[in-house]
Amino acid sequence: MKLDRPTEDLLRELAPQALGAVVRRYGHFDTAEDAVQEALLAAARQWPADGVPDNPRAWLIRVAARRLTDLLRADQARRGREDVVAAWPVPAPGPVTDDSLVLLFMCCHPALSPASQIALTLRAVGGLTTTEVARAFLVPEDTMTRRISRAKRSIKDSGVPFGLPPAAERAARLAAVLRVLYLIFNEGYVGTAGPTLQRVELSTEAIRLARLVHRLLPDDAEATGLLALMLLTDARRAARTALDGTPVPMAEQDRSRWHQDQIAEGVALISAVLPRGEAGPYQIQAAIAAIHDEAPRAEDTDWPQIVLLYEILLAQGDNPVVALNHAVAVAMVRGPEAGLALLDPLGKDDRLAADHRWHTARAHLLEMSGDLEAARAAYLTAATKTMSPPQQRYLHTRAARLA
């Protein structure tokens, strides 16, 4: 039976809560995830016919716990320990805050590579199937299966108990969680490969998880800043691509198509959190996004304020993409020559030399300066540095226009 959208959304929201509760009580991450998946399937079959239970979260936890007991009983019976498992009680639901947040911390365990953290977060917390995660990152399903299995094994071998990290480790672990959500959103907003510029399912899932973290940690300024940044950036989604799927630069976008409700929510979030004290990088990026979104026209953008915000970001750490964006912002204030003076030295940084974004920015500033031949060459070079067909089409079109 096909699920209606509210029930589907409810199951997706409850899945990590149920998994967290079961893992907290029993451990056995792998088997617990299988049990929760079977509980979700049972809900998908029964709830449309019988109605959603009064306490759907407790229903899922109860069914998953019983299924886990069955799975472990079958496994342990072969080892002669069935009586131990049979005596286990069904776990109490437990606190939503702890279980959901702990599960995110587990998936972003420092022992895992960033790629594994992202995959496991989407699988265990986001509720995506392995097939969906593999499709999102354009890798074969068996490759993603192995990656997720290795991640679970690493967590198991680490011996870390299910629970919030000690206070001394919590800030660093939360930073890893936010970083993973940021990477998921960016991959959805500007896919590094594949036939489309945007993968809406990834950016949408990142926003949902960022909302979860913000709800669980409402006083964390950077969690708030990250959610605001995602909302303010995603608000432009409808205007970002032309009919053929190629990107439309922000200055040329139809701003009437920007999602005003998301802009209002994002501005409210960042306006509330910025006055609290020293702002972190997600808050500053959200402030920059808010300046762009609140400008009625491209020419109304407060570029001097954006330059100042990028300079604050530069002072917080060595980030070549921030330096690139700062150079472009300077060009909008002081002219393309000033921007190129900052941009050209960045090409010596190996982290940018092979990135199409540096070549694209340089081409744009060269075009602004009137050096059309150099701009055309830079656009063509940029097209060779990206694996995204929409980006390639856009860059070839810009180059052809200057021929």
Side-chain angles (χ1 to χ4, degrees), residues 3 11 20 34 66 86 116-117 182 207 215 276 319 333 380:
L3 290 177
L11 287 175
D34 290 340
R66 288 173 179 168
S116 295
Q117 290 175 338
Y182 180 73
I207 291 173
R215 186 167 72 244
R276 295 184 190 172
N319 186 317
V333 176
L380 291 174

Side-chain angles (χ1 to χ4, degrees), residues 293-308:
D293 286 7
E294 290 189 303
R297 303 173 301 165
E299 53 267 34
D300 298 326
T301 304
D302 187 351
W303 285 106
Q305 182 68 17
I306 291 175
V307 169
L308 290 175

Side-chain angles (χ1 to χ4, degrees), residues 11 39-40 42-44 46-47 53 55-64:
L11 287 175
L40 292 169
Q46 294 181 34
W47 291 5
N55 189 336
R57 179 170 171 266
W59 189 98
L60 284 174
I61 293 171
R62 183 171 62 253
V63 173

Side-chain angles (χ1 to χ4, degrees), residues 17-67:
Q17 299 175 23
L19 178 57
V22 175
V23 174
R24 173 173 51 82
R25 174 62 181 85
Y26 291 126
H28 300 281
F29 196 143
D30 277 352
T31 313
E33 188 183 22
D34 290 340
V36 170
Q37 289 300 316
E38 293 196 24
L40 292 169
L41 288 173
R45 288 192 300 267
Q46 294 181 34
W47 291 5
D50 302 340
V52 176
D54 292 337
N55 189 336
R57 179 170 171 266
W59 189 98
L60 284 174
I61 293 171
R62 183 171 62 253
V63 173
R66 288 173 179 168
R67 183 55 184 148

Side-chain angles (χ1 to χ4, degrees), residues 9-253:
D9 290 344
L10 176 62
L11 287 175
R12 176 162 289 201
E13 180 180 350
L14 293 176
Q17 299 175 23
L19 178 57
V22 175
V23 174
R24 173 173 51 82
R25 174 62 181 85
Y26 291 126
H28 300 281
F29 196 143
D30 277 352
T31 313
E33 188 183 22
D34 290 340
V36 170
Q37 289 300 316
E38 293 196 24
L40 292 169
L41 288 173
R45 288 192 300 267
Q46 294 181 34
W47 291 5
D50 302 340
V52 176
D54 292 337
N55 189 336
R57 179 170 171 266
W59 189 98
L60 284 174
I61 293 171
R62 183 171 62 253
V63 173
R66 288 173 179 168
R67 183 55 184 148
L68 178 65
T69 301
D70 291 341
L71 292 170
L72 292 176
R73 180 186 292 122
D75 179 61
Q76 295 189 351
R78 292 191 291 268
R79 303 170 193 169
R81 297 201 297 268
E82 180 176 356
D83 54 336
V84 175
V85 180
W88 286 356
V90 173
V96 178
T97 298
D98 285 356
D99 289 343
S100 300
L101 193 58
V102 170
L103 194 58
L104 269 168
F105 278 131
M106 284 186 66
C107 292
C108 299
H109 192 281
L112 304 180
S113 69
S116 295
Q117 290 175 338
I118 291 171
L120 194 56
T121 297
L122 288 173
R123 179 73 181 87
V125 187
L128 276 67
T129 66
T130 303
T131 303
E132 289 171 330
V133 178
R135 188 186 307 125
F137 286 92
L138 305 176
V139 300
E141 184 175 351
D142 58 345
T143 299
M144 187 56 69
T145 299
R146 289 194 297 271
R147 182 179 298 173
I148 292 174
S149 297
R150 284 196 302 269
K152 292 176 181 177
R153 194 159 53 246
S154 295
I155 290 175
K156 180 181 178 181
D157 293 345
S158 73
V160 175
F162 188 86
L164 288 172
E169 299 177 20
R170 205 165 297 168
R173 291 285 290 277
L174 177 59
V177 169
L178 299 181
R179 176 66 175 167
V180 164
L181 299 186
Y182 180 73
L183 292 173
I184 293 171
F185 178 82
N186 282 346
E187 185 60 29
Y189 194 69
V190 184
T192 54
T196 60
L197 181 70
Q198 304 177 95
R199 293 183 223 168
V200 176
E201 72 281 2
L202 279 183
S203 54
T204 300
E205 184 59 25
I207 291 173
R208 188 184 74 82
L209 294 176
R211 285 191 186 280
L212 171 65
V213 175
H214 174 61
R215 186 167 72 244
L216 300 179
L217 299 171
D219 295 327
D220 187 89
E222 277 291 79
T224 303
L226 178 60
L227 176 57
L229 172 61
M230 290 181 180
L231 291 169
L232 291 163
T233 305
D234 188 66
R236 311 178 203 125
R237 185 204 310 161
R240 287 187 62 237
T241 53
L243 291 176
D244 64 353
T246 55
V248 177
M250 192 187 304
E252 301 172 18
Q253 290 176 15

